[in-house]
């Protein structure tokens, strides 16, 4: 993972007073990506975007996802049903996808297959079990949406991996990872953006968040992507 820090800028003259409220201070990462999730409970809950699985959703393996964004990282925590995603010898990996509306504009992007607002521009595709049966770090490849605006189907152009973009840790059923904002491959990540997730087994989605109840008017149980506001 690339180390990212914001360090205080001191005045040229050490005798100058530079302790005003606008002075930069060293960045302290609020979430340590270590598979110990206690620090999530220390965050201001009103600043954490949260999506919980609807009990009447069609694909319910993802149970909850939380997203906290500051000026340096986007942090993600999620829980999933191990019984629906348990890797077996004839199934390679457990794919996990992030669909990001990084410019915050609902009139760009696409992928209406799993999210009703269909405005994702960037796909992160990685694996929770990268080495088979052991939970590992999240090191996704990046893909750019190339389909029609608000389009559907798998119309993603591979951009490759970005070293240091993400790092993850967890245990079966619970996981956390971070996204380094300065390495976001499509330019600046907006202060207000949205994001959606799915978890798959053998390349078929078994969990999607956010989601909604399956109804006659919404047979896929689709919901809009999760809105996130950056904490400054």
């Amino acid at each position: 993972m690339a180390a990212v820090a914001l360090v205080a800028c001191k005045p040229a003259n050490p005798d100058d007073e530079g302790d005003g409220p606008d002075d930069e201070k060293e960045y302290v990462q609020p979430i340590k990506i270590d598979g110990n999730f206690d620090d999530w409970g220390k965050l201001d809950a009103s600043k954490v975007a949260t999506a919980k699985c609807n009990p009447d959703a069609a694909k319910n393996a993802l149970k909850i996802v939380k997203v906290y964004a500051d000026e340096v990282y986007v942090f993600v925590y999620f829980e999933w049903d191990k019984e629906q995603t348990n890797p077996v010898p004839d199934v390679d990996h457990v794919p996990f996808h992030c669909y990001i509306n990084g410019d915050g504009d609902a009139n760009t992007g696409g992928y209406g297959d799993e999210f009703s607002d269909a405005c994702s521009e960037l796909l992160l595709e990685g694996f929770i079990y990268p080495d088979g049966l052991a939970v590992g770090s999240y090191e996704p490849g990046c893909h750019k949406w190339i389909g029609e605006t608000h389009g559907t189907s798998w119309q993603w152009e591979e951009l490759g991996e970005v070293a240091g973009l993400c790092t993850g840790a967890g245990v079966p059923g619970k996981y956390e990872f971070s996204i380094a904002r300065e390495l976001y491959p499509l330019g600046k990540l907006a202060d207000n953006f949205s994001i959606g997730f799915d978890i798959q087994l053998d390349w078929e989605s078994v969990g999607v968040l956010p989601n909604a109840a399956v109804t006659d008017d919404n047979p896929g149980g689709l919901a809009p992507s999760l809105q996130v506001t950056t904490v400054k």
Side-chain angles (χ1 to χ4, degrees):
M1 171 182 163
V4 182
L6 301 180
V7 181
C9 296
K10 296 182 179 180
N13 185 345
D15 296 328
D16 289 345
E17 294 184 3
D19 297 325
D22 294 331
D23 290 348
E24 291 186 44
K25 297 181 179 180
E26 184 177 0
Y27 173 74
V28 178
Q29 187 168 320
I31 300 293
K32 186 177 181 181
I33 305 300
D34 56 3
N36 181 340
F37 312 113
D38 292 345
D39 40 11
W40 283 90
K42 299 175 184 178
L43 299 175
D44 182 345
S46 68
K47 298 178 181 179
V48 179
T50 303
K52 296 181 179 180
C53 184
N54 189 294
D56 296 317
K59 300 174 181 178
N60 59 11
L62 279 177
K63 297 305 181 184
I64 188 171
V65 64
K66 298 181 179 181
V67 182
Y68 179 83
D70 64 18
E71 293 181 282
V72 181
Y73 291 104
V74 177
F75 300 96
V76 179
Y77 168 84
F78 63 94
E79 299 177 7
W80 74 96
D81 180 2
K82 295 180 291 182
E83 297 303 316
Q84 294 191 53
T85 58
N86 198 19
V88 294
D90 60 343
V91 174
D92 291 333
H93 313 299
V94 173
F96 184 82
H97 295 114
C98 304
Y99 304 88
I100 306 176
N101 170 24
D103 62 5
D105 186 351
N107 296 311
T108 61
Y111 195 60
D113 302 64
E114 294 184 331
F115 305 101
S116 60
D117 46 3
C119 57
S120 301
E121 294 125 15
L122 183 71
L123 162 67
L124 302 182
E125 180 179 77
F127 305 97
I128 304 304
Y129 300 89
D131 299 315
L133 299 179
V135 174
S137 185
Y138 189 62
E139 299 176 359
C142 301
H143 302 73
K144 179 181 179 180
W145 178 256
I146 58 172
E148 294 183 359
T149 301
H150 301 320
T152 59
S153 76
W154 200 258
Q155 300 186 65
W156 300 96
E157 178 183 43
E158 184 174 357
L159 302 177
E161 294 186 7
V162 176
L165 175 64
C166 296
T167 187
V171 297
K174 296 182 179 181
Y175 199 85
E176 63 184 354
F177 67 94
S178 63
I179 303 171
R181 298 182 79 118
E182 71 169 5
L183 299 177
Y184 190 72
L186 297 184
K188 183 179 179 180
L189 182 62
D191 289 341
N192 299 302
F193 63 95
S194 66
I195 187 169
F197 308 90
D198 74 29
I199 194 167
Q200 299 186 339
L201 185 63
D202 200 20
W203 301 107
E204 292 291 334
S205 295
V206 292
V208 177
L209 278 178
N211 59 25
V214 172
T215 65
D216 291 340
D217 294 331
N218 187 7
L222 304 188
S225 50
L226 182 64
Q227 295 293 320
V228 180
T229 299
T230 299
V231 177
K232 293 186 174 182

